[in-house]
Amino acid sequence: MWIKTGKWTLGMLLITLLVCRDGWARDHENALKVTARVDRTTVELYERLALEVIVEGPARSLPAPAGLQLEGLKIVGGPQSSTQVQMANGAWSSRLSYTYQLRAEKEGSWTIGPIPITFQGRTYQSNSITIQVKKPEAPPAQSGIDSDSNVPNDRQSDLFVWATVSNPEPFVGQPIEITYELFTRIKVVNFEPERIPEFSGFVVEDVELPERPVVTNRTLNGKEYATAVVHRAILYPTTAGDLTLEPFAVKFAVEVRGRDPFDDFFQSPFGPPGRSSLFSQHQQEIRQSNSISLHVRPLPVEGKPESFSGAVGEFELKASAGKTTVQVGEAIVVEATLTGQHGLKLLSIPPAASITQFKTYEPKAGDVVPNPARPGWSMRTVEYIYVPFEQGQFEIPGIEFSYFDPNSSSYKTLRSDPIAVFINPGPSGEGIPVMARDQRGEIRLLGKDIRYIKTSAPIRSHIEPYRTPWFWGSVLFPFPVIPAVVVMSRRRRKMLEDQGYARAIRARGESTRRLANARSLHTNASFRECLDEMAAAFRGYLSDRFNRPPASISPEVIRDALTSYGVGADRIDSVLDIWETLASVRFSPVNPDPDSIARLMDRVSECLDELEKSRWKARTARSCRSDRA
Amino acid sequence: MRLIFGLLLILLGMGKVSAEDSFQALFDRANRHFESGDMDSAQGIYETMVRQGCINLAVYYNLGNCYLHKGDIGRAIAMFLRAERISPRDTDLQANLALARSMIGQPVELPKVNVFIGWIQRLHRSLSTFELVVSALMAYFLTITASLAVTIDSRRRSRRRYIRIAVFSAILFAVGAIGLGVRVHEREFIETAVAIQDEVSARTGPGDHFTEVYQQQAGYEMRVLRHQGGWAEVRLGNGFTGWVPDDSIERL
């Protein structure tokens, strides 16, 4: 019962999980992305700036941002909108852009956003941006106008380009912002860069400006000007010393004032070309900005860390691993996030830590994106891949990143925490996987890596086993052994079955043993015992051969038996002579002569040898069988 | 006579030991070159060892690795197949052989075989010649011993048991002997080779003027049917037959 209930509950739980997962996936797919950005974060009082709100999402139509709450800033233009809609794989996706013209109304630090947008019952929010509004700086001098410019003199002061840098004494590698601003009192229909400086001695990172320039009104030397940024870039000095930034030349199409009485009425700088008076015409004007001298300071040699690779500014570093328990051959991805104000795009990526038990791959750095948690800062994510070769518990060292902090004029080193990982054994027989990044930068499995060479193997030349002598010896070994075993087994069986045969086979061996015993007794001067042993050997041999009890052996029996077996008369007489000699010597009251005993022993031995050699041996065996039958 | 025979044995043994010592020194040196990244020197030494008659799993395997690192897939596969003949179940070897095979431009599609036959073939391939020899010999001795026991032992119950053992071991011996026989036949009477050159035209006859049958890719494994005038008639695993230049293949 419990099992049934448990199964039902488990099933419902799984279904619920699937539904939730499906719902989450749909929500995730339908999520909107709302991004807010401005052309600059620091403006002077009453200066204009452009705010762009971008809404991206998987729908054909997207809602416009509403409820833009601003403090210290005022909307003076817009919104101008643009829409991009596309369909891919049966799914719509759109991108809406709304650009507002803002004007700074109060000094201080003001925050734009987060801007809310409601879509399909859900509210999404953009990032927030902080704008610094400061007092207007002193107006540029009239000397900023290029005297060599080939334009009428009376128009030079009405149209000029002014360059400013954020820091005239940066360190090598420290990013500085250069801004080229147009000042005009005449109507500019269009403009384009005529000559962009080479910026030799710098690495340049252009800053994207709004498509339509943001116009600000400023008063210089008592004259009212319309101003707009025409070019902005981040420069990274590469060498120390005094450097000069070349002028930036801009070609303008300006409207030449005619005698149209309505000119003043329609007069407006940066006006559209469509409203031209019948009496006005366009004229090309070229203006060059002022040159700027910089004093680039070298980085101090003392205290430079080994991991320093030229980053100058202010940075933060965090790292984490998605999965810390994996199998051998499975990739571990460590994601590090670098945050900083400038220079993230150009700085060298910290290298991956080298670990013996891991194969490491080139880190992949993502795009530089605004840091939502810290306005004005950007962030960049770097992926490190480690593929373990061995099982066990290991530690991936923290990622180290050093930079020079120009505010404190010192080097600083950031180090993320080490990450403990647990590697379980992987499936056997498979090679180590090889990962690589495809054209989109995604990691994919290329295949298996080449397994390493064998280094500890003893070098003995291999011979096919069937070519070796031991193989053929093993194969041929049974051929002589089998017949021998068969013969021996048959003999053994016969000896077990036929007692006469067994006695006949053992007769000579037994007599030889007894004669040897008699010889040792003779050596020890035990002559009587020697004679008894000799007689026992002789009698025992004959009784075994005749397959009779020892007590039944007599001269008559010997003669009859040997005669029936075809032994010659001389041999029979010799045997009987020994028989009688033994009997007489044994039972004689006189002590026997040792020499005669020795000679007798030799005679006995020779006699038994002769009998053994004679052919009656075989006949004895046959007759024994016939007797038994 | 005995003295001369003994001295001869000692001299032969010393000669073998001396050669093995020399091979070991060469092997260690080649490994050091490999570990330091000097693949050319390592390859040269391994090749010298092979030329001097060193037939060894580690030498073939390491030489195959050198070729594989340099992208010479054909020779790498040839070396791995030679190593496989010595130790067919070596996991490192199998991994690298599979990797090398996967790098062939257009692999040969092998025809499907019956499941049972495929299983038997895989089992046979997975056993080394030494294992086949040992198992066949063990079954051989067991059969003989059980047969002798039947002959010697007169007790009926024991004889029956020995007969069963003898029959069972005889079947095992027959299987082992067939497996060993097939292996000996493959090694001694069938010539196999691996293509070491890419984009070589296999033709209908031994000459460039014959019609092209198929394009040979480095790494193709094939059976050599015969040789004629610097050409070899080969058959691929999919049954394609053609004539290719002798120098475009490496015999195993």
Side-chain angles (χ1 to χ4, degrees):
Chain A
M1 184 65 187
W2 183 89
I3 293 170
K4 281 184 180 176
T5 311
K7 279 183 181 173
W8 187 84
T9 310
L10 187 65
M12 289 302 291
L13 188 65
L14 279 173
I15 290 166
T16 310
L17 280 173
L18 284 171
V19 167
C20 291
R21 180 182 164 275
D22 189 47
W24 179 85
R26 254 189 280 117
D27 285 351
H28 189 71
E29 283 169 5
N30 293 334
L32 286 192
K33 187 181 171 190
V34 185
T35 313
R37 63 183 187 187
V38 291
D39 60 338
R40 51 190 165 163
T41 55
T42 305
V43 293
E44 291 178 3
L45 189 60
Y46 302 117
E47 204 174 3
R48 290 188 184 190
L49 71 155
L51 166 67
E52 189 178 19
V53 182
I54 301 164
V55 185
E56 293 170 290
R60 200 172 173 182
S61 63
L62 294 172
L68 188 60
Q69 301 292 330
L70 299 171
E71 193 177 351
L73 303 164
K74 184 181 177 184
I75 299 174
V76 293
Q80 293 162 345
S81 64
S82 67
T83 308
Q84 289 176 9
V85 181
Q86 62 179 5
M87 188 177 180
N89 297 326
W92 291 99
S93 63
S94 308
R95 184 183 187 275
L96 296 186
S97 168
Y98 294 85
T99 307
Y100 299 86
Q101 303 295 329
L102 307 182
R103 189 171 68 198
E105 296 288 318
K106 291 180 187 174
E107 278 184 51
S109 178
W110 309 107
T111 302
I112 303 173
I115 303 162
I117 286 186
T118 304
F119 178 66
Q120 292 182 349
R122 284 192 63 181
T123 303
Y124 301 88
Q125 289 189 331
S126 73
N127 54 310
S128 54
I129 304 166
T130 303
I131 307 292
Q132 298 287 341
V133 181
K134 57 185 182 181
K135 280 183 181 176
E137 290 177 354
Q142 197 70 6
S143 60
I145 303 166
D146 189 346
S147 58
D148 295 335
S149 187
N150 187 21
V151 291
N153 287 333
D154 59 337
R155 298 185 69 88
Q156 284 186 355
S157 60
D158 291 341
L159 179 69
F160 62 90
V161 178
W162 188 251
T164 53
V165 288
S166 58
N167 182 2
E169 290 189 350
F171 284 96
V172 171
Q174 182 182 358
I176 53 170
E177 189 178 70
I178 183 163
T179 305
Y180 295 95
E181 210 168 0
L182 165 69
F183 287 76
T184 180
R185 298 186 67 240
I186 55 178
K187 186 170 181 179
V188 176
V189 177
N190 200 359
F191 69 87
E192 61 181 21
E194 173 71 10
R195 190 183 69 244
I196 298 174
E198 289 183 357
F199 296 120
S200 53
F202 296 88
V203 174
V204 185
E205 184 185 346
D206 287 334
V207 176
E208 192 182 347
L209 296 175
E211 286 180 13
R212 290 181 61 84
V214 179
V215 181
T216 310
N217 293 321
R218 291 173 70 178
T219 305
L220 301 178
N221 298 330
K223 290 181 180 176
E224 185 83 9
Y225 285 91
T227 67
V229 175
V230 293
H231 187 71
R232 181 175 282 154
I234 307 294
L235 306 180
Y236 300 85
T238 54
T239 53
D242 293 322
L243 299 173
T244 303
L245 298 176
E246 297 294 319
F248 178 69
V250 186
K251 184 163 73 179
F252 299 95
V254 298
E255 200 169 273
V256 180
R257 195 180 298 173
R259 288 175 291 178
D260 184 354
F262 299 102
D263 265 358
D264 291 337
F265 184 78
F266 292 107
Q267 181 79 19
S268 172
F270 300 100
R275 167 63 185 99
S276 290
S277 156
L278 289 172
F279 303 96
S280 68
Q281 55 185 346
H282 297 162
Q283 180 177 316
Q284 276 197 354
E285 302 274 356
I286 295 176
R287 293 290 186 273
Q288 293 193 97
S289 73
N290 53 314
S291 313
I292 292 180
S293 296
L294 295 175
H295 175 68
V296 180
R297 291 178 284 173
L299 293 173
V301 179
E302 285 182 9
K304 188 184 283 185
E306 282 187 12
S307 57
F308 178 73
S309 61
V312 179
E314 197 177 345
F315 299 94
E316 288 175 0
L317 173 69
K318 282 180 187 172
S320 62
K323 208 173 170 186
T324 53
T325 303
V326 296
Q327 288 186 338
V328 170
E330 193 180 349
I332 295 172
V333 180
V334 175
E335 199 173 87
T337 306
L338 266 170
T339 313
Q341 268 189 310
H342 293 293
L344 287 174
K345 196 173 178 180
L346 301 174
L347 60 80
S348 301
I349 301 300
S354 177
I355 317 168
T356 315
Q357 296 86 356
F358 289 76
K359 187 178 179 76
T360 53
Y361 290 84
E362 278 296 308
K364 174 206 169 189
D367 292 335
V368 178
V369 294
N371 184 0
R374 197 157 180 185
W377 282 46
S378 303
M379 53 193 275
R380 195 173 193 193
T381 305
V382 186
E383 267 184 10
Y384 297 86
I385 297 173
Y386 300 89
V387 179
F389 291 136
E390 298 176 15
Q391 66 179 87
Q393 184 178 346
F394 304 101
E395 194 172 74
I396 296 175
I399 294 156
E400 192 174 294
F401 175 71
S402 296
Y403 66 98
F404 180 77
D405 184 2
N407 296 328
S408 61
S409 296
S410 64
Y411 291 99
K412 290 182 178 172
T413 298
L414 301 173
R415 193 175 288 109
S416 65
D417 293 332
I419 298 166
V421 291
F422 303 90
I423 314 301
N424 295 319
S428 60
E430 291 186 8
I432 301 300
V434 179
M435 308 289 188
R437 299 186 188 280
D438 59 15
Q439 291 175 341
R440 292 179 302 168
E442 299 299 324
I443 301 161
R444 67 185 179 90
L445 183 70
L446 273 187
K448 304 290 182 185
D449 197 1
I450 302 171
R451 289 208 178 183
Y452 200 58
I453 57 167
K454 295 181 186 296
T455 52
S456 57
I459 299 304
R460 281 191 292 271
S461 204
H462 173 82
I463 303 170
E464 292 290 3
Y466 53 80
R467 290 180 180 172
T468 56
W470 69 262
F471 171 76
W472 291 108
S474 304
V475 171
L476 298 175
F477 171 73
F479 288 92
V481 171
I482 291 169
V485 171
V486 169
V487 168
M488 284 175 67
S489 70
R490 280 186 182 170
R491 188 180 171 189
R492 183 170 161 270
R493 191 182 296 169
K494 193 185 287 180
M495 285 172 75
L496 288 171
E497 291 171 352
D498 188 345
Q499 195 182 357
Y501 176 79
R503 290 182 71 184
I505 292 295
R506 289 173 189 152
R508 185 62 184 114
E510 187 65 18
S511 63
T512 304
R513 189 183 62 77
R514 288 206 142 186
L515 281 176
N517 197 24
R519 279 187 201 283
S520 84
L521 289 169
H522 184 268
T523 310
N524 295 333
S526 301
F527 301 117
R528 288 284 172 195
E529 288 80 2
C530 172
L531 284 171
D532 291 343
E533 193 67 16
M534 205 188 314
F538 195 64
R539 183 189 294 270
Y541 177 80
L542 293 174
S543 70
D544 285 344
R545 281 296 180 196
F546 301 155
N547 193 21
R548 286 170 184 268
S552 68
I553 300 300
S554 64
E556 291 75 25
V557 171
I558 293 168
R559 183 177 294 279
D560 291 346
L562 291 179
T563 304
S564 67
Y565 296 153
V567 177
D570 295 344
R571 183 67 61 201
I572 294 170
D573 290 342
S574 170
V575 171
L576 289 174
D577 183 46
I578 292 170
W579 178 269
E580 285 173 4
T581 307
L582 270 171
S584 63
V585 173
R586 281 176 67 200
F587 300 113
S588 168
V590 182
N591 282 335
D593 175 29
D595 292 338
S596 62
I597 292 172
R599 281 197 296 274
L600 183 59
M601 204 161 7
D602 291 340
R603 279 187 65 199
V604 169
S605 184
E606 283 172 13
C607 177
L608 294 180
D609 284 342
E610 289 299 322
L611 285 175
E612 194 67 18
K613 284 177 187 172
S614 63
R615 291 177 182 272
W616 68 273
K617 178 181 165 187
R619 286 188 217 121
T620 303
R622 277 201 300 275
S623 66
C624 288
R625 281 200 298 275
S626 61
D627 287 351
R628 194 178 66 243
Chain B
M1 185 65 185
R2 278 185 186 175
L3 183 67
I4 293 168
F5 186 68
L7 283 171
L8 196 64
L9 274 179
I10 291 168
L11 283 173
L12 282 172
M14 281 173 65
K16 192 180 175 190
V17 168
S18 170
E20 284 180 355
D21 284 349
S22 160
F23 282 147
Q24 189 71 54
L26 284 172
F27 182 69
D28 293 340
R29 208 170 76 202
N31 290 348
R32 282 197 293 277
H33 281 300
F34 189 98
E35 284 165 350
S36 67
D38 186 359
M39 218 63 78
D40 290 334
S41 302
Q43 179 188 322
I45 297 171
Y46 291 135
E47 283 174 343
T48 305
M49 292 175 75
V50 172
R51 271 199 303 276
Q52 289 177 356
C54 179
I55 302 167
N56 184 273
L57 164 71
V59 174
Y60 284 148
Y61 171 80
N62 291 1
L63 181 54
N65 270 13
C66 287
Y67 288 136
L68 196 55
H69 274 287
K70 295 171 76 174
D72 192 345
I73 300 165
R75 286 192 175 83
I77 290 177
M79 283 304 142
F80 290 147
L81 287 176
R82 284 183 183 176
E84 192 186 34
R85 289 182 165 197
I86 300 169
S87 179
R89 292 194 305 280
D90 186 281
T91 51
D92 291 335
L93 170 65
Q94 286 303 329
N96 284 2
L97 179 57
L99 176 64
R101 279 174 172 156
S102 71
M103 293 162 76
I104 298 172
Q106 291 174 330
V108 175
E109 283 188 21
L110 300 176
K112 287 182 180 174
V113 292
N114 179 279
V115 175
F116 179 70
I117 293 172
W119 185 80
I120 294 284
Q121 285 176 341
R122 281 197 298 279
L123 176 69
H124 187 250
R125 273 201 301 269
S126 70
L127 292 171
S128 68
T129 311
F130 178 77
E131 288 162 344
L132 283 172
V133 163
V134 168
S135 45
L137 279 181
M138 282 173 68
Y140 174 63
F141 283 120
L142 188 60
T143 309
I144 289 171
T145 309
S147 304
L148 284 175
V150 171
T151 313
I152 293 166
D153 200 330
S154 55
R155 289 170 296 177
R156 185 176 291 175
R157 189 173 292 176
S158 304
R159 279 169 65 91
R160 217 175 278 161
R161 191 188 306 149
Y162 290 137
I163 286 169
R164 279 198 212 107
I165 294 172
V167 170
F168 177 69
S169 55
I171 293 169
L172 283 182
F173 171 61
V175 171
I178 290 169
L180 182 60
V182 170
R183 177 62 53 84
V184 173
H185 177 72
E186 284 173 353
R187 295 286 158 85
E188 303 297 326
F189 302 105
I190 293 178
E191 192 181 343
T192 51
V194 175
I196 54 173
Q197 288 176 12
D198 254 335
E199 308 295 334
V200 173
S201 299
R203 300 183 180 278
T204 54
D208 284 323
H209 56 282
F210 286 98
T211 314
E212 181 184 318
V213 183
Y214 61 87
Q215 280 276 321
Q216 177 181 276
Q217 303 288 326
Y220 278 9
E221 295 161 44
M222 58 195 76
R223 179 179 290 193
V224 181
L225 304 176
R226 58 181 163 152
H227 295 273
Q228 187 179 322
W231 290 72
E233 188 182 14
V234 298
R235 186 162 65 218
L236 301 181
N238 58 5
F240 283 20
T241 307
W243 288 83
V244 293
D246 263 339
D247 56 3
S248 71
I249 57 173
E250 172 114 4
R251 292 179 212 172
L252 299 181

